Amino acid sequence: MKAKGIIFDVDGSLYKFDRGAVQTFEQSALSRTIRENVIAFFQSRFGLSRKQAITRFEELNFQSNGELSVWLEKMHGIPRVEYFAETWDMDPRLFMDRDDELVASLGSVAARRAVLSNAPRVWIDRVLGFLEVSHIFEPPAIFSGEPDIRKPHPSAFMQVAEFWNLAPEAIVAIGDQEESDILPAKALGMQTVRLGKNVQSAADFVAEDMTTAIELLTRRKII
């Protein structure tokens, strides 16, 4: 079926972690930097020593099952937008390179294009701006991590389909994470492309990177 829309993941998909040196967010310099930012946030906000802040962070991160921003808002009244602004507002050039081939590849897609990421909007805007692809997702079709509806819940993908007024079967989802990018989209009937090198996946297709994925979908006349 010819796709009328494509959902793009951001981190690990529109760019590779540590310029391709690692494959997962947990291994990346981005993850380590965010952790340091969160520790500093805890020190400042709660008046803790660094050691106390690390302990508090680890406790709350475990209790919240990784949904720390939601927990801080509900339990401590700290707006998640405020939390994200202090912990995720970073310079992308520290973590990635600009890819002119990616810009051309994304620009060649005739289908509607949306970003769906659990990262906050401040970081998504930074990344898209640095990669010089912000215009490709205009009019704004950017679904970020501030709302309660997030990947891997299928509703995160359905909100994009409803935004476009498209059936899930008319959409392709592309991402690097099996549990959050591929399985929920596939469960809805979307076509899927898993990004990565030497990965096992339930996705319809596997491609090493985003440019290769778009070439594959174009060659198979899916987009």
Side-chain angles (χ1 to χ4, degrees):
M1 181 177 183
K2 191 82 169 180
K4 297 181 179 179
I6 303 180
I7 296 173
F8 296 88
D9 175 50
V10 177
D11 298 309
S13 299
L14 289 183
Y15 70 92
K16 292 185 177 182
F17 292 118
D18 293 5
R19 299 169 172 85
V22 299
Q23 291 200 39
T24 67
F25 172 77
E26 290 75 17
Q27 299 170 317
S28 69
L30 175 62
S31 176
R32 294 192 296 273
T33 302
I34 292 169
R35 183 178 187 275
E36 287 300 314
N37 290 347
V38 173
I39 290 169
F41 177 85
F42 275 41
Q43 287 181 268
S44 173
R45 187 56 61 101
F46 299 117
L48 303 175
S49 68
R50 176 175 170 80
K51 183 177 180 180
Q52 291 171 326
I54 292 172
T55 300
R56 187 65 172 150
F57 161 69
E58 292 174 347
E59 289 174 347
L60 289 183
N61 201 44
F62 176 77
Q63 291 172 12
S64 67
N65 195 29
E67 297 288 351
L68 188 57
S69 65
V70 176
W71 187 270
L72 288 172
E73 185 170 78
K74 291 182 177 179
M75 301 301 294
H76 295 278
I78 300 173
R80 63 190 74 171
V81 172
E82 181 180 323
Y83 164 77
F84 284 140
E86 293 193 37
T87 56
W88 279 81
D89 190 3
M90 297 169 288
D91 187 345
R93 78 183 77 187
L94 301 173
F95 309 101
M96 66 193 74
D97 294 319
R98 187 176 287 110
D99 184 350
D100 292 337
E101 189 175 6
L102 173 68
V103 178
S105 183
L106 290 174
S108 71
V109 176
R112 300 176 193 178
R113 294 158 292 204
V115 160
L116 176 61
S117 172
N118 285 352
R121 183 63 184 263
V122 64
W123 173 246
I124 294 172
D125 286 344
R126 284 273 202 166
V127 171
L128 298 183
F130 174 73
L131 294 177
E132 298 182 351
V133 296
S134 299
H135 63 286
I136 289 172
F137 299 98
E138 294 289 346
I142 298 173
F143 300 83
S144 58
E146 282 84 358
D148 290 337
I149 299 175
R150 305 184 189 186
K151 297 187 290 185
H153 200 287
S155 294
F157 290 84
M158 273 306 301
Q159 68 180 333
V160 185
E162 290 168 358
F163 175 77
W164 283 332
N165 195 27
L166 291 176
E169 293 79 8
I171 297 172
V172 177
I174 307 177
D176 67 307
Q177 297 297 312
E178 190 78 3
E179 297 295 327
S180 58
D181 296 322
I182 303 304
L183 296 183
K186 193 173 180 66
L188 292 171
M190 294 181 181
Q191 299 181 76
T192 52
V193 184
R194 169 79 184 273
L195 302 180
K197 191 173 183 179
N198 301 321
V199 296
Q200 297 295 318
S201 177
D204 298 290
F205 306 102
V206 174
E208 185 170 345
D209 55 36
M210 187 64 74
T211 298
T212 305
I214 292 173
E215 291 173 351
L216 183 154
L217 293 171
T218 302
R219 188 167 62 250
R220 291 179 174 265
K221 301 186 185 304
I222 295 172
I223 60 174

